[in-house]
Amino acid sequence: MTDISRRNWLKTAAVSSTLMAGGITAASAKAVDPMPSKWDETFDVVVIGSGFAGLAAAIEARLAGASVCVLEKMRTIGGNSIINGGIMGVPGSPMQKREGLEDSPELMAEDMFREGGGLNHREKVLHMCKQALPTWEWTVKELGVEWVQERVAQEGGHSVPRCAITKNGSGSGIVLKEVEKLKSLGVVPRTRVFMEKIIRDADGRVKGVQVREGYKFPDAKSGKVKFIAAKRAVVLAHGGFGADVKFRSIQDPKLTEKLGTTCQPGATSEAWRESARIGCHMIQTDWIQCAPWTAPSEKGMGIALFFAQGAAAMFGVWVEDKNGTRFVDELANRKVRADAIMNLLNQGVHCYAVADAKGVEPMGVSRPGLLEKMLERKCVRRYDTLEALAAGEKINLEGLKKSIAEWNDAVKTGHDKHYNRYVNKKAVPMGTGPWYVSTMVPKVHHCMGGIYTDMHAHALDIVNDEPIPGLYAAGEASGGVHGAVRLGSCAVTDCIVYGRIAGQNAAKETPWS
Amino acid sequence: MTDISRRNWLKTAAVSSTLMAGGITAASAKAVDPMPSKWDETFDVVVIGSGFAGLAAAIEARLAGASVCVLEKMRTIGGNSIINGGIMGVPGSPMQKREGLEDSPELMAEDMFREGGGLNHREKVLHMCKQALPTWEWTVKELGVEWVQERVAQEGGHSVPRCAITKNGSGSGIVLKEVEKLKSLGVVPRTRVFMEKIIRDADGRVKGVQVREGYKFPDAKSGKVKFIAAKRAVVLAHGGFGADVKFRSIQDPKLTEKLGTTCQPGATSEAWRESARIGCHMIQTDWIQCAPWTAPSEKGMGIALFFAQGAAAMFGVWVEDKNGTRFVDELANRKVRADAIMNLLNQGVHCYAVADAKGVEPMGVSRPGLLEKMLERKCVRRYDTLEALAAGEKINLEGLKKSIAEWNDAVKTGHDKHYNRYVNKKAVPMGTGPWYVSTMVPKVHHCMGGIYTDMHAHALDIVNDEPIPGLYAAGEASGGVHGAVRLGSCAVTDCIVYGRIAGQNAAKETPWS
């Protein structure tokens, strides 16, 4: 239908009088942004965003011979990628082999489907998992990324340890190498350049972007307006909107200003709104991953989570302050637990992780010195008695006592009547002071949804699910790979695999004239 | 930003040369559909869809003195509403009072929030619940809808019985009265008129629609193209897309062609795609409610569900055929159970509800004659022995025996080790023939997401969340009220409450010239 309309438009566009004659042709033509009278700059490929995906796309496009520019709205490059934990899901890596770990792309995909609750686009997931190893090898050979060789990490939801770890323990270990490579190819990412508009012409093709050069986040009117033409394609790799309270709470009203975020401040919705405005098919925008056990006093993920998870969730209780009662299976999946805490928080009820001296012992063994560090940072507090803890944290004491009695009963009988929580064999009844507590306020972490793309990373049109000519998307800006729950280490794989595919295909587009 | 752009556009539009001069003004102007040179017809308010919401909007707009037309793409009016169960959530109804039932709008809203998992837009839910009673009274006084006076129904998730029941036990009891009222006001809904495009002008205002008169569903090219101007506003009340396999499985890949639907065939995505294309902010489109226990051999909801739920889920087991094992808590909420069945179904594994002679007894008491009717329809099958049942239905016998043993153990101990399923006090160990079984294939039922609207039923713009001038939305076409799980009887309330609001406000818009 749209194609026909476009043809009609093209037929008539030549003779503008025909256009004014109106009738079906004109009125059914594609919505259109007026073209600028002149372009300030012209490139084959224009990449929006300087994270894992955008940089990978730029490198591949450049290697294919295209002229490329990378635009980053913030003062520094790397977006959330550069503050990311730097682990990448790679089935069949040399590190796994050395540890004698059996793994396969199919097994990794199954893990992602299971945790994704069937919301994942299966073909995309499978292709990503199959490309994971060659892509990891590419980061070594092509970029010189340094990976820990001795071991692999295991994140929640993965059925085997398969997460490759950067030597510097951060996403910067990948991002900085991508930037180096790009520089060696003559491309330096530009910072403080905000993409204000995607310019889609009457023929339906995206032909460039309107930007603000010298932009000062978050001032939408700052910087100088410029028009940059993309003769072959624009690649959208602008990441998620976890830091955008207004937009995220429209998609999921639980995600109010009461929550924190692990994202950098620039993780906002402008590019999401703009890609929807020009006709991208947006999917699963309301699936936004939150970390359940983070402490409000800490930046990013912090360390209090190791107490809430490793001590309280396994050997203690999670309670709310109003009635001192347990409110969720302390070992349910992250989404269930984060949702439960957020719903209480939005009703003015606060959630705490509580463990006693026995409960923190295993953590002391596995992570020596960490508890002391937590107490120092005050993200975990110590009290001599339960009464002092309840008073100090303003938790309903009677309810708290009942909750502990309930858990102790579960430890004795091996069955938690209330939430059917798994009872750890090492668990002993609570009651040995001193007592420890941390406040839990979920932090918005990752957007699973985004632009609907095909296997070639084409951005698809909401009108007919066909590729929008001249437009690609990859990474957190795109949707459908992770489904309901993204597994740790899968974002890096997704970003680099589909970022490269987007760049390779963008460079192959026939230039418009 | 957009407002500024619009002003810029208006400034320049007058002098078209300025437009061609390009620069920021032109390129940042709103995307625009060319206006038709002439409109074939003109009304104050054009309503898309002839269900509960569209008809309520049309009535209110007409009562406010506006000229109105109602466009329905199918051959018959009423959409899903006319085949709906005809129950309406109304807190504080005379029927509740007669039964001495305590209820309040706040309690109904709390029920919706709890089941909605915090995805509901709270202010909208509260307003809907407060308007429920006056709206129900309006259906009696203004429309003459006949309601059962002796009792109210209770649907899952409602903490008290609060569902008013139409005397004819169907949504048609409301729809036909709405149509009568509308006719008395001189408006006859037009059938086989398909809205092909929403026409949004350069100033950002929606000014009318492009339709195909004499449209033959689903032929997109059938019928004669016409342009209908809406001088005050267009009201989108086109319903959901549950019958659109392609679109629904993009939003939620679980919802493949393997599933059935309770929706009429016209529940497709064209209007969803079109409203997104012209800039509506779409939310929670991937939240699509499915009935878990429907039988593939039956149309719509059917009756087999009363066996799967009332007999097997309470006193029997739900098993899959491949291994004969239980696959979910038979009493988990509808979404959890439907998701579990769909994920298996999409792997080629089929799910069955099984009960023995003792298990069907309570149903025989509460619904005499129903079991016989089920057997007659073959949506429930009877076998003398478990072996015969396994053979007849191709279910793994050994696994089935283990599953029954597991449940019988739960009945004895009062605790279901596997799924912590609630053990009914009346339950007795299974083992008394004959045996009964039904096949369970979920059916796609209702779209919770849709166009993001404000309290006045304005459709909001993805660019800035401001109302799109001249555009309203209500009913299943709009999103945010029901959140993750819509409660039975709340759709009717939502449709009529916000349909009326949309019609009242549409009639108040200042006509464009």
Side-chain angles (χ1 to χ4, degrees), chain A residues 130-150:
Chain A
K130 285 176 181 161
Q131 287 304 307
L133 181 56
T135 302
W136 176 83
E137 290 166 344
W138 178 82
T139 67
V140 175
K141 297 195 189 97
E142 198 67 55
L143 309 180
V145 174
E146 297 184 286
W147 299 93
V148 170
Q149 294 300 316
E150 297 67 32

Side-chain angles (χ1 to χ4, degrees), chain A residues 1 4-5 9 19-38 110 116-122 194 196-197 199 210 212 220-221 225 227 246-247 249-254 272-274 276-279 281-287 335 339 343 346-347 415-420 452 461-466, chain B residues 1 4-5 9 19-38 110 116-122 194 196-197 199 210 212 220-221 225 227 246-247 249-254 272-274 276-279 281-287 335 339 343 347 415-420 452 461-466 480:
Chain A
M1 194 165 77
I4 287 165
S5 317
W9 176 284
L19 173 60
M20 296 328 294
I24 172 175
T25 307
S28 68
K30 181 85 194 62
V32 45
D33 288 315
M35 289 293 104
S37 51
K38 80 178 245 313
E110 275 317 312
L119 278 176
N120 325 60
H121 286 216
R122 296 184 78 90
F194 171 60
E196 192 171 20
K197 287 196 174 295
I199 298 172
Q210 174 184 321
R212 287 183 169 266
K221 291 275 142 259
V225 170
F227 298 96
K246 185 189 180 196
F247 193 74
S249 58
I250 288 168
Q251 313 306 321
D252 182 345
K254 287 189 298 294
W272 287 69
R273 296 176 178 273
E274 180 61 9
R277 184 190 69 85
I278 61 112
H281 189 160
M282 309 298 293
I283 58 170
Q284 302 174 358
T285 320
D286 56 306
W287 284 94
K335 175 158 178 57
D339 285 356
N343 283 328
N346 288 321
Q347 295 160 42
H415 167 54
D416 170 20
K417 287 196 192 65
H418 208 139
Y419 289 104
N420 203 35
Y452 175 37
D461 195 319
I462 183 63
V463 169
N464 54 12
D465 306 321
E466 294 298 322
Chain B
M1 195 166 84
I4 289 164
S5 317
W9 176 282
L19 174 61
M20 294 328 291
I24 172 176
T25 308
S28 68
K30 180 81 195 64
V32 45
D33 287 315
M35 291 293 105
S37 51
K38 84 177 234 317
E110 275 316 312
L119 278 176
N120 325 60
H121 286 214
R122 297 184 78 89
F194 171 60
E196 191 171 22
K197 287 196 174 294
I199 298 172
Q210 175 184 319
R212 286 183 170 268
K221 292 272 142 264
V225 171
F227 298 94
K246 185 189 180 199
F247 193 74
S249 58
I250 288 169
Q251 313 307 320
D252 182 345
K254 286 190 299 295
W272 287 68
R273 295 174 178 275
E274 181 61 9
R277 184 191 70 85
I278 61 112
H281 189 160
M282 308 299 292
I283 59 171
Q284 302 174 357
T285 319
D286 56 306
W287 284 94
K335 174 158 180 56
D339 285 357
N343 283 328
Q347 296 159 40
H415 167 54
D416 169 20
K417 286 198 193 65
H418 209 141
Y419 290 105
N420 202 36
Y452 175 37
D461 195 319
I462 182 63
V463 169
N464 55 10
D465 306 320
E466 294 297 323

